[in-house]
Amino acid sequence: MWKYNIFELAKHHRVYAFDMVGAGRTDKPDAKYTFDFMAKFTHSLMEALNIPHANLIGASAGGGVALTFALKFPNRVDKLVIVGSAGLGKEVSWLLRLPTIPLLGELLGSPSRSGLAMLCKQAVYDPKLITNEVVEEFYQMATIKRAKEAMLSVGRENFNVWGQFYQPIVEKLNTITAPTLRKYGYPLMLASMEPVDGGMSCSINSIHYGNSNHYSSSVFLFIGATGSHPHTTTDIH
């Protein structure tokens, strides 16, 4: 829901917004959707589009991808913004843990308009934003061939019923050198809602955000988009 405000703020700047492979209406290859796989995919996409470096914005699972990318390809990251990011702790909503259980996940992963409406309303600051049209759009994407398999793979490759597989990221956080803005808290369900002990060695601003306007303005102040020089921003969902 936030990227539309980002586009409004960035209409005079170069902004690229990518749905990750397997998400939305993108192709859904038969692959293990680990953060490592998606970080390498993002790197290959930047190579194909001739984007030498970028500011990375990653929300929820995209935060885990952005952090992994920053660890693997530090020279390609100008600044890093992570929002309710995965990969920073064990905690994860039970709504997302349960589908990782074999058979139960296949059952719960069958999309319904009512179920998607409930999930969408938990993922935004103002539930009134979730109109019937929005629900229908998500339903159409959820019923694309292999959409359920991709969704289950994202979950099962990155967490299980006991929580997130966060150690590979947390153990190397202090090696991230890119200036980093971290936003945490409501409304995202996926990530741990508390700061990680030890934090990163680089500068972090932890802000509990309440609405998309505050989110958008603080992000663009951080990456410097209000200045006179254009910025290339990769938005990972």
Side-chain angles (χ1 to χ4, degrees):
M1 289 297 135
W2 322 290
K3 66 177 181 177
Y4 303 108
N5 290 288
I6 288 176
F7 286 145
E8 180 63 26
L9 285 169
K11 57 187 175 183
H12 298 301
H13 305 277
R14 295 171 61 201
V15 175
Y16 299 83
F18 303 129
D19 272 329
M20 289 305 303
V21 59
R25 301 183 187 279
T26 64
D27 288 344
K28 295 157 178 59
D30 184 8
K32 292 184 177 180
Y33 288 71
T34 62
F35 291 154
D36 185 74
F37 164 72
M38 290 186 281
K40 290 178 180 177
F41 176 87
T42 301
H43 180 266
S44 297
L45 183 60
M46 289 174 65
E47 289 281 289
L49 295 176
N50 194 28
I51 301 174
H53 50 85
N55 298 307
L56 294 183
I57 305 175
S60 193
V65 178
L67 287 167
T68 303
F69 186 98
L71 290 169
K72 296 185 71 69
F73 310 107
N75 295 331
R76 307 298 293 267
V77 182
D78 293 330
K79 292 184 179 181
L80 180 64
V81 179
I82 54 175
V83 187
S85 178
L88 294 180
K90 184 177 180 179
E91 292 303 315
V92 63
S93 169
W94 279 102
L95 288 174
L96 298 178
R97 293 189 192 198
L98 291 178
T100 66
I101 300 174
L103 299 181
L104 181 59
E106 279 70 15
L107 178 63
L108 296 176
S110 299
S112 69
R113 290 177 176 84
S114 60
L116 288 170
M118 179 188 69
L119 290 174
C120 287
K121 288 178 180 179
Q122 293 188 51
V124 295
Y125 176 72
D126 183 2
K128 294 179 182 177
L129 293 171
I130 306 303
T131 63
N132 291 336
E133 290 75 16
V134 170
V135 173
E136 185 62 28
E137 181 179 359
F138 274 87
Y139 179 77
Q140 293 302 321
M141 289 189 291
T143 52
I144 292 175
K145 184 178 180 180
R146 289 196 55 78
K148 180 169 72 173
E149 288 79 2
M151 181 272 294
L152 290 175
S153 179
V154 170
R156 290 169 176 173
E157 295 298 333
N158 299 294
F159 51 87
N160 59 22
V161 70
W162 305 112
Q164 295 187 63
F165 309 146
Y166 64 94
Q167 290 90 345
I169 293 176
V170 170
E171 289 172 358
K172 298 180 180 179
L173 278 180
N174 61 358
T175 67
I176 293 178
T177 57
T180 300
L181 173 68
R182 180 185 178 201
K183 291 174 162 287
Y184 64 94
Y186 180 90
L188 295 180
M189 297 185 297
L190 178 59
S192 169
M193 299 308 178
E194 298 298 328
V196 175
D197 291 339
M200 302 182 191
S201 60
C202 54
S203 174
I204 300 179
N205 299 284
S206 293
I207 302 173
H208 179 98
Y209 67 99
N211 60 65
S212 57
N213 289 331
H214 178 236
Y215 164 77
S216 300
S217 60
S218 60
V219 165
F220 272 80
L221 283 172
F222 174 72
I223 65 174
T226 56
S228 58
H229 301 289
H231 292 261
T232 300
T233 301
T234 301
D235 189 1
I236 304 177
H237 307 281

PDB file of all heavy atoms in Angstrom, residues 142-163:
ATOM      1  N   ALA A 142      -3.783 -14.361  -6.583  1.00  0.00           N
ATOM      2  CA  ALA A 142      -3.608 -15.574  -5.771  1.00  0.00           C
ATOM      3  C   ALA A 142      -4.033 -16.830  -6.504  1.00  0.00           C
ATOM      4  O   ALA A 142      -3.658 -17.937  -6.105  1.00  0.00           O
ATOM      5  CB  ALA A 142      -4.389 -15.441  -4.468  1.00  0.00           C
ATOM      6  N   THR A 143      -4.826 -16.684  -7.548  1.00  0.00           N
ATOM      7  CA  THR A 143      -5.319 -17.851  -8.281  1.00  0.00           C
ATOM      8  C   THR A 143      -4.539 -18.093  -9.579  1.00  0.00           C
ATOM      9  O   THR A 143      -4.902 -18.962 -10.363  1.00  0.00           O
ATOM     10  CB  THR A 143      -6.814 -17.684  -8.601  1.00  0.00           C
ATOM     11  OG1 THR A 143      -7.049 -16.426  -9.253  1.00  0.00           O
ATOM     12  CG2 THR A 143      -7.644 -17.731  -7.315  1.00  0.00           C
ATOM     13  N   ILE A 144      -3.481 -17.311  -9.805  1.00  0.00           N
ATOM     14  CA  ILE A 144      -2.608 -17.562 -10.956  1.00  0.00           C
ATOM     15  C   ILE A 144      -1.920 -18.918 -10.764  1.00  0.00           C
ATOM     16  O   ILE A 144      -1.626 -19.336  -9.636  1.00  0.00           O
ATOM     17  CB  ILE A 144      -1.560 -16.437 -11.082  1.00  0.00           C
ATOM     18  CG1 ILE A 144      -2.244 -15.121 -11.476  1.00  0.00           C
ATOM     19  CG2 ILE A 144      -0.491 -16.797 -12.112  1.00  0.00           C
ATOM     20  CD1 ILE A 144      -1.302 -13.938 -11.494  1.00  0.00           C
ATOM     21  N   LYS A 145      -1.654 -19.598 -11.850  1.00  0.00           N
ATOM     22  CA  LYS A 145      -1.025 -20.909 -11.799  1.00  0.00           C
ATOM     23  C   LYS A 145       0.269 -20.852 -10.998  1.00  0.00           C
ATOM     24  O   LYS A 145       1.106 -19.979 -11.214  1.00  0.00           O
ATOM     25  CB  LYS A 145      -0.747 -21.424 -13.220  1.00  0.00           C
ATOM     26  CG  LYS A 145      -0.177 -22.835 -13.271  1.00  0.00           C
ATOM     27  CD  LYS A 145       0.035 -23.292 -14.707  1.00  0.00           C
ATOM     28  CE  LYS A 145       0.598 -24.699 -14.766  1.00  0.00           C
ATOM     29  NZ  LYS A 145       0.801 -25.149 -16.171  1.00  0.00           N
ATOM     30  N   ARG A 146       0.443 -21.736 -10.071  1.00  0.00           N
ATOM     31  CA  ARG A 146       1.598 -21.913  -9.204  1.00  0.00           C
ATOM     32  C   ARG A 146       1.748 -20.802  -8.166  1.00  0.00           C
ATOM     33  O   ARG A 146       2.764 -20.741  -7.452  1.00  0.00           O
ATOM     34  CB  ARG A 146       2.906 -22.043 -10.014  1.00  0.00           C
ATOM     35  CG  ARG A 146       3.020 -23.377 -10.768  1.00  0.00           C
ATOM     36  CD  ARG A 146       4.451 -23.609 -11.221  1.00  0.00           C
ATOM     37  NE  ARG A 146       5.401 -23.530 -10.109  1.00  0.00           N
ATOM     38  CZ  ARG A 146       5.606 -24.492  -9.218  1.00  0.00           C
ATOM     39  NH1 ARG A 146       4.935 -25.649  -9.319  1.00  0.00           N
ATOM     40  NH2 ARG A 146       6.485 -24.340  -8.255  1.00  0.00           N
ATOM     41  N   ALA A 147       0.754 -19.933  -8.015  1.00  0.00           N
ATOM     42  CA  ALA A 147       0.839 -18.879  -7.004  1.00  0.00           C
ATOM     43  C   ALA A 147       0.889 -19.468  -5.597  1.00  0.00           C
ATOM     44  O   ALA A 147       1.661 -19.020  -4.747  1.00  0.00           O
ATOM     45  CB  ALA A 147      -0.335 -17.916  -7.143  1.00  0.00           C
ATOM     46  N   LYS A 148       0.061 -20.493  -5.347  1.00  0.00           N
ATOM     47  CA  LYS A 148       0.048 -21.106  -4.024  1.00  0.00           C
ATOM     48  C   LYS A 148       1.378 -21.784  -3.730  1.00  0.00           C
ATOM     49  O   LYS A 148       1.918 -21.656  -2.616  1.00  0.00           O
ATOM     50  CB  LYS A 148      -1.097 -22.115  -3.901  1.00  0.00           C
ATOM     51  CG  LYS A 148      -1.147 -22.779  -2.525  1.00  0.00           C
ATOM     52  CD  LYS A 148      -2.434 -23.565  -2.318  1.00  0.00           C
ATOM     53  CE  LYS A 148      -2.465 -24.825  -3.142  1.00  0.00           C
ATOM     54  NZ  LYS A 148      -3.648 -25.674  -2.809  1.00  0.00           N
ATOM     55  N   GLU A 149       1.936 -22.471  -4.706  1.00  0.00           N
ATOM     56  CA  GLU A 149       3.211 -23.157  -4.498  1.00  0.00           C
ATOM     57  C   GLU A 149       4.319 -22.145  -4.187  1.00  0.00           C
ATOM     58  O   GLU A 149       5.163 -22.380  -3.309  1.00  0.00           O
ATOM     59  CB  GLU A 149       3.584 -23.972  -5.729  1.00  0.00           C
ATOM     60  CG  GLU A 149       2.739 -25.220  -5.946  1.00  0.00           C
ATOM     61  CD  GLU A 149       1.377 -24.916  -6.569  1.00  0.00           C
ATOM     62  OE1 GLU A 149       1.103 -23.731  -6.877  1.00  0.00           O
ATOM     63  OE2 GLU A 149       0.587 -25.868  -6.740  1.00  0.00           O
ATOM     64  N   ALA A 150       4.317 -21.011  -4.901  1.00  0.00           N
ATOM     65  CA  ALA A 150       5.335 -19.986  -4.648  1.00  0.00           C
ATOM     66  C   ALA A 150       5.178 -19.404  -3.252  1.00  0.00           C
ATOM     67  O   ALA A 150       6.164 -19.201  -2.528  1.00  0.00           O
ATOM     68  CB  ALA A 150       5.232 -18.885  -5.697  1.00  0.00           C
ATOM     69  N   MET A 151       3.928 -19.141  -2.848  1.00  0.00           N
ATOM     70  CA  MET A 151       3.665 -18.576  -1.526  1.00  0.00           C
ATOM     71  C   MET A 151       4.121 -19.528  -0.426  1.00  0.00           C
ATOM     72  O   MET A 151       4.773 -19.125   0.550  1.00  0.00           O
ATOM     73  CB  MET A 151       2.179 -18.271  -1.379  1.00  0.00           C
ATOM     74  CG  MET A 151       1.767 -17.659  -0.035  1.00  0.00           C
ATOM     75  SD  MET A 151       1.363 -18.909   1.232  1.00  0.00           S
ATOM     76  CE  MET A 151      -0.120 -19.647   0.521  1.00  0.00           C
ATOM     77  N   LEU A 152       3.808 -20.811  -0.578  1.00  0.00           N
ATOM     78  CA  LEU A 152       4.210 -21.788   0.425  1.00  0.00           C
ATOM     79  C   LEU A 152       5.725 -21.935   0.483  1.00  0.00           C
ATOM     80  O   LEU A 152       6.305 -22.112   1.564  1.00  0.00           O
ATOM     81  CB  LEU A 152       3.567 -23.139   0.126  1.00  0.00           C
ATOM     82  CG  LEU A 152       2.054 -23.230   0.346  1.00  0.00           C
ATOM     83  CD1 LEU A 152       1.526 -24.581  -0.109  1.00  0.00           C
ATOM     84  CD2 LEU A 152       1.703 -22.984   1.814  1.00  0.00           C
ATOM     85  N   SER A 153       6.381 -21.824  -0.671  1.00  0.00           N
ATOM     86  CA  SER A 153       7.835 -21.935  -0.703  1.00  0.00           C
ATOM     87  C   SER A 153       8.491 -20.769   0.024  1.00  0.00           C
ATOM     88  O   SER A 153       9.467 -20.958   0.758  1.00  0.00           O
ATOM     89  CB  SER A 153       8.338 -22.004  -2.150  1.00  0.00           C
ATOM     90  OG  SER A 153       9.749 -22.090  -2.196  1.00  0.00           O
ATOM     91  N   VAL A 154       7.972 -19.563  -0.163  1.00  0.00           N
ATOM     92  CA  VAL A 154       8.512 -18.401   0.546  1.00  0.00           C
ATOM     93  C   VAL A 154       8.469 -18.647   2.054  1.00  0.00           C
ATOM     94  O   VAL A 154       9.438 -18.381   2.779  1.00  0.00           O
ATOM     95  CB  VAL A 154       7.735 -17.122   0.189  1.00  0.00           C
ATOM     96  CG1 VAL A 154       8.138 -15.974   1.116  1.00  0.00           C
ATOM     97  CG2 VAL A 154       7.978 -16.725  -1.257  1.00  0.00           C
ATOM     98  N   GLY A 155       7.331 -19.163   2.537  1.00  0.00           N
ATOM     99  CA  GLY A 155       7.207 -19.431   3.959  1.00  0.00           C
ATOM    100  C   GLY A 155       8.120 -20.549   4.423  1.00  0.00           C
ATOM    101  O   GLY A 155       8.907 -20.383   5.362  1.00  0.00           O
ATOM    102  N   ARG A 156       8.038 -21.679   3.769  1.00  0.00           N
ATOM    103  CA  ARG A 156       8.743 -22.864   4.254  1.00  0.00           C
ATOM    104  C   ARG A 156      10.256 -22.773   4.105  1.00  0.00           C
ATOM    105  O   ARG A 156      10.990 -23.461   4.813  1.00  0.00           O
ATOM    106  CB  ARG A 156       8.206 -24.090   3.522  1.00  0.00           C
ATOM    107  CG  ARG A 156       6.782 -24.433   3.951  1.00  0.00           C
ATOM    108  CD  ARG A 156       6.121 -25.469   3.062  1.00  0.00           C
ATOM    109  NE  ARG A 156       4.797 -25.816   3.584  1.00  0.00           N
ATOM    110  CZ  ARG A 156       3.930 -26.593   2.942  1.00  0.00           C
ATOM    111  NH1 ARG A 156       4.258 -27.102   1.751  1.00  0.00           N
ATOM    112  NH2 ARG A 156       2.756 -26.853   3.489  1.00  0.00           N
ATOM    113  N   GLU A 157      10.739 -21.946   3.190  1.00  0.00           N
ATOM    114  CA  GLU A 157      12.184 -21.797   3.030  1.00  0.00           C
ATOM    115  C   GLU A 157      12.776 -20.780   4.003  1.00  0.00           C
ATOM    116  O   GLU A 157      13.991 -20.714   4.172  1.00  0.00           O
ATOM    117  CB  GLU A 157      12.524 -21.370   1.591  1.00  0.00           C
ATOM    118  CG  GLU A 157      12.188 -22.401   0.538  1.00  0.00           C
ATOM    119  CD  GLU A 157      12.951 -23.704   0.712  1.00  0.00           C
ATOM    120  OE1 GLU A 157      14.068 -23.667   1.278  1.00  0.00           O
ATOM    121  OE2 GLU A 157      12.445 -24.759   0.283  1.00  0.00           O
ATOM    122  N   ASN A 158      11.926 -19.967   4.655  1.00  0.00           N
ATOM    123  CA  ASN A 158      12.440 -18.893   5.498  1.00  0.00           C
ATOM    124  C   ASN A 158      11.970 -18.957   6.948  1.00  0.00           C
ATOM    125  O   ASN A 158      12.515 -18.247   7.796  1.00  0.00           O
ATOM    126  CB  ASN A 158      12.063 -17.542   4.890  1.00  0.00           C
ATOM    127  CG  ASN A 158      12.669 -17.366   3.508  1.00  0.00           C
ATOM    128  OD1 ASN A 158      13.874 -17.282   3.364  1.00  0.00           O
ATOM    129  ND2 ASN A 158      11.827 -17.344   2.484  1.00  0.00           N
ATOM    130  N   PHE A 159      10.975 -19.779   7.242  1.00  0.00           N
ATOM    131  CA  PHE A 159      10.570 -20.008   8.629  1.00  0.00           C
ATOM    132  C   PHE A 159       9.735 -21.272   8.697  1.00  0.00           C
ATOM    133  O   PHE A 159       9.326 -21.836   7.684  1.00  0.00           O
ATOM    134  CB  PHE A 159       9.803 -18.803   9.206  1.00  0.00           C
ATOM    135  CG  PHE A 159       8.663 -18.305   8.360  1.00  0.00           C
ATOM    136  CD1 PHE A 159       7.394 -18.838   8.467  1.00  0.00           C
ATOM    137  CD2 PHE A 159       8.861 -17.271   7.455  1.00  0.00           C
ATOM    138  CE1 PHE A 159       6.340 -18.368   7.699  1.00  0.00           C
ATOM    139  CE2 PHE A 159       7.810 -16.792   6.674  1.00  0.00           C
ATOM    140  CZ  PHE A 159       6.554 -17.334   6.803  1.00  0.00           C
ATOM    141  N   ASN A 160       9.501 -21.733   9.927  1.00  0.00           N
ATOM    142  CA  ASN A 160       8.643 -22.891  10.130  1.00  0.00           C
ATOM    143  C   ASN A 160       7.725 -22.612  11.318  1.00  0.00           C
ATOM    144  O   ASN A 160       7.612 -21.458  11.757  1.00  0.00           O
ATOM    145  CB  ASN A 160       9.471 -24.164  10.340  1.00  0.00           C
ATOM    146  CG  ASN A 160      10.401 -24.084  11.541  1.00  0.00           C
ATOM    147  OD1 ASN A 160      10.194 -23.302  12.467  1.00  0.00           O
ATOM    148  ND2 ASN A 160      11.443 -24.909  11.532  1.00  0.00           N
ATOM    149  N   VAL A 161       7.072 -23.625  11.837  1.00  0.00           N
ATOM    150  CA  VAL A 161       6.121 -23.412  12.918  1.00  0.00           C
ATOM    151  C   VAL A 161       6.794 -22.877  14.177  1.00  0.00           C
ATOM    152  O   VAL A 161       6.141 -22.256  15.031  1.00  0.00           O
ATOM    153  CB  VAL A 161       5.366 -24.728  13.225  1.00  0.00           C
ATOM    154  CG1 VAL A 161       6.294 -25.736  13.882  1.00  0.00           C
ATOM    155  CG2 VAL A 161       4.124 -24.479  14.075  1.00  0.00           C
ATOM    156  N   TRP A 162       8.107 -23.020  14.280  1.00  0.00           N
ATOM    157  CA  TRP A 162       8.829 -22.546  15.466  1.00  0.00           C
ATOM    158  C   TRP A 162       9.311 -21.112  15.314  1.00  0.00           C
ATOM    159  O   TRP A 162       9.718 -20.497  16.299  1.00  0.00           O
ATOM    160  CB  TRP A 162      10.026 -23.462  15.756  1.00  0.00           C
ATOM    161  CG  TRP A 162       9.629 -24.899  15.901  1.00  0.00           C
ATOM    162  CD1 TRP A 162       9.950 -25.921  15.049  1.00  0.00           C
ATOM    163  CD2 TRP A 162       8.809 -25.466  16.920  1.00  0.00           C
ATOM    164  NE1 TRP A 162       9.387 -27.085  15.467  1.00  0.00           N
ATOM    165  CE2 TRP A 162       8.679 -26.839  16.626  1.00  0.00           C
ATOM    166  CE3 TRP A 162       8.176 -24.969  18.056  1.00  0.00           C
ATOM    167  CZ2 TRP A 162       7.947 -27.708  17.417  1.00  0.00           C
ATOM    168  CZ3 TRP A 162       7.432 -25.828  18.849  1.00  0.00           C
ATOM    169  CH2 TRP A 162       7.336 -27.179  18.526  1.00  0.00           C
ATOM    170  N   GLY A 163       9.315 -20.590  14.107  1.00  0.00           N
ATOM    171  CA  GLY A 163       9.749 -19.206  13.919  1.00  0.00           C
ATOM    172  C   GLY A 163      10.634 -19.032  12.698  1.00  0.00           C
ATOM    173  O   GLY A 163      10.791 -19.939  11.875  1.00  0.00           O
TER     174      GLY A 163
END
